[in-house]
Structures are given as C-alpha cells and as structure tokens.
Amino acid sequence: MSPPIEYELRRRTFLAGAATLTASTALPWTANAKESGMQTANAEPVGPETSRISLRVNGESRTLELDNRTSLLDALREHMGLTGTKKGCDHGQCGACTVSVNGQRINSCLSLAVMHEGDEVTTIEGLGTPDDLHPMQAAFAEHDGFQCGYCTPGQICSATAVLEEIKAGVPSYVTGDLTGPIEMSDAEIRERMSGNICRCGAYSNILAAINDVAES
Ligand code: FES
Ligand code: FES
C-alpha cells in the first residue's frame, strides 16, 4: 500500500526541494496536499490583505480575521492565546512549533493560517491537562525528558504522532522491511524525532519516555 502523499513529503525532502524553488512555490506540505485535491475549503477574503478563517482548535470552533501572511504558529500564540506551542527558529528547523493538523504533525511556523480553513488543530494544550496528563506528557515527566522545557511541547506533539505513524505502517528512512508491520526500535524513533531539536540535549530521556509509552 502506498503511503499517503503528505508522509512522502518528509521534512528533509521538503527542505532539499525548497532550496531549488522560488519563494512563491516554497510552501509546506500542507499546501501541496491541498493542491492535490485532499482539501478544498478556503478562507474568506475580507480585504486585500486579510481573510476570515474558521477552524477547530483543541475541539473548539474558532473564527478569526487575520492578515494573510499570519503563520499558523502566530495565529495560535498571538491571536488565540495558546502559547504552549513554541517559536524557536520560525523557519522550519527546530520543531518547537509542532502541532497536529487533521491528525498529522506539521511545523506550524511553515504554514499560513489561511491554509487551514475547516481544519482540526491539536496543540499541546489539547493533549492533556495538569490534572489529566496525556500518557506521553506523563512519560516525559517521569523520565525527565526535558530541562528548560522550551522544546518540550513540540517534542511531545511529535512523539504522539510518531507512534501513530509507526502503527499505521508509514515507513521512515531507516525502516528496513517495507513488507510487514514496522518494528518499533530506537533507530525508528530517533529518525522520526530528528526534526525536533533539544538544545538542552535531553535526547536519551526523551527516547526513554517514548519507548515507555510505546511499550504500554
Ligand atoms: Fe517552527 Fe522552529 S519554530 S520549526
Ligand atoms: Fe531545553 Fe529541550 S529541554 S531545549
């Protein structure tokens, strides 16, 4: 079975390809997915530079009027007050801004908010609460999977998606056998988490936390 197109457009593939494209075509994979007909909803223009966009964030319907140039990351942080999602590099290199859109992880700094009309977005705030942690949040706490914590929301959003991707049989660069279920291994997890940088170097504890959830 062929993997979905959005998985084929892996981050590194995108970055390599983007270097050869003009700025107008250098869009993140969500744009390519929409161009391929996967989604058709459009934000409503309300001026030469602004649009009205409706989407669901952490299960709540939200409607916003935004400058067309607003990234999804800035829409979440500056316009919805969801500051759990972090801005590290603001150009697709650190993974701190990782969120889930329609069940797939993306770098929200690389995606314009107006591209997400009708989408279902889940941020770290939507995964769990301090009184009712998501298993991945609990595992990060138990295994000391952070030091300063700045990268942690992105790491946790990515980690939950990684387990779903492996379960769904989506291969990575290090997957050896493409004919059967993908074996959970440290190499698989490291490769799939390689877009999430931790400047504190908590990688071994992050790996332990993800393995803990995978095993349970
Ligand atoms: Fe988006 Fe660094 S802030 S990848
Ligand atoms: Fe500090 Fe990852 S915990 S950057």
Side-chain angles (χ1 to χ4, degrees), residues 17 19 21 24-25 35 41 43 60-61 74-75 122 139-140 142 144 153-154 158 171 191 193 203-204 209-210:
L21 297 173
S24 64
T25 57
E35 281 164 13
E60 256 183 62
S61 297
D74 284 343
T122 304
F140 267 65
E142 190 179 329
D144 282 338
S158 232
E191 164 64 17
M193 292 295 293
Y203 295 112
S204 57
I210 298 172

Side-chain angles (χ1 to χ4, degrees), residues 94-141:
C94 72
C97 64
T98 305
V99 298
S100 165
V101 175
N102 300 332
Q104 290 164 355
R105 56 181 169 151
I106 67 164
N107 289 335
S108 58
C109 71
L110 286 184
S111 194
L112 296 174
V114 292
M115 295 159 57
H116 294 287
E117 175 69 23
D119 281 354
E120 185 83 38
V121 178
T122 304
T123 68
I124 190 71
E125 292 93 340
L127 280 186
T129 65
D131 295 330
D132 183 20
L133 294 177
H134 183 281
M136 192 64 77
Q137 293 172 314
F140 267 65

